[in-house]
Amino acid sequence: MTTTHPPVMVETVTDPDLAAPVAEVAGATFPLACPPHSDPGDIAAFIAANLGEKNFRAHIADPDADVLVAREGTDGPIIGYALVLHAEPTHPDVAAVVTQRPVSEISKMYVAPEHHSRPGHTPSHVLMRAAVDRARERDSVLAWLGVNQLNVRAQRFYVKMGFTRAGVKTFTLGDSVEHDYVYTLPL
């Protein structure tokens, strides 16, 4: 028996009251992208410092950021989110390989695991297309993102969406320095 899902709808969040449910999804999905050797305490500390309700309230209010949420249907629960930042890269490793301007960073893009693989238009595809569209609407000529070098599944997804590997950068998670690939997509 095939389960029929409502269509995936993506909206740009403008209501700061949605910061709490977005933070809830962020806290549940961030660990999925962490390398297996990551310390759970470091993951929890990162979530508390960077993915809380106050962080998303600030992103929602920031004119250089877009918080997007994916839902099943128009009023279903949030099943994924993306954070698109419209600013020059500040990490020196990224700035060395992302030289075109203006650019947008797809800083976060996560979908709840129970929605990863399903027939038809998956939430991750719909959400990524919406994030790329937001970058285009901001007149960015390039979108970029970072992904842990051990996260092969995500890398395959980004390649499927048209991104190519452009370089490497580091990412600090607690006391651990992780190594990410930088992927870019010309717009």
Side-chain angles (χ1 to χ4, degrees):
M1 173 189 253
T2 303
T3 302
T4 302
H5 295 277
V8 176
M9 308 299 288
V10 175
E11 66 184 83
T12 301
V13 178
T14 57
D15 181 355
D17 288 340
L18 286 178
V22 175
E24 185 177 320
V25 172
T29 56
F30 177 75
L32 302 173
C34 294
H37 61 266
S38 298
D39 180 273
D42 290 342
I43 294 171
F46 182 89
I47 291 169
N50 299 284
L51 301 175
E53 179 179 350
K54 70 177 178 135
N55 303 101
F56 283 100
R57 282 185 179 275
H59 291 310
I60 292 166
D62 184 348
D64 291 323
D66 286 302
V67 177
L68 308 174
V69 294
R71 301 175 185 271
E72 284 190 322
T74 55
D75 58 355
I78 296 170
I79 59 173
Y81 82 99
L83 173 61
V84 185
L85 304 176
H86 310 285
E88 293 189 19
T90 57
H91 193 293
D93 295 339
V94 177
V97 295
V98 176
T99 57
Q100 296 175 292
R101 300 291 183 267
V103 297
S104 294
E105 175 190 7
I106 301 173
S107 173
K108 310 279 185 285
M109 204 211 80
Y110 296 101
V111 172
E114 61 272 20
H115 297 280
H116 281 186
S117 297
R118 66 184 216 195
H121 294 289
T122 63
S124 56
H125 288 83
V126 175
L127 190 55
M128 179 57 83
R129 283 189 204 102
V132 168
D133 286 346
R134 291 301 294 147
R136 281 189 184 106
E137 290 166 11
R138 295 293 189 103
D139 295 324
S140 290
V141 296
L142 189 80
W144 72 273
L145 56 85
V147 58
N148 188 276
Q149 291 181 6
L150 299 178
N151 193 342
V152 176
R153 181 179 183 177
Q155 293 170 42
R156 283 193 304 256
F157 170 73
Y158 298 136
V159 168
K160 185 185 288 187
M161 297 303 294
F163 286 81
T164 57
R165 191 182 322 162
V168 295
K169 73 177 191 76
T170 57
F171 176 80
T172 304
L173 183 62
D175 293 331
S176 178
V177 176
E178 299 298 333
H179 300 279
D180 289 359
Y181 290 124
V182 176
Y183 277 77
T184 59
L185 176 71
L187 303 175

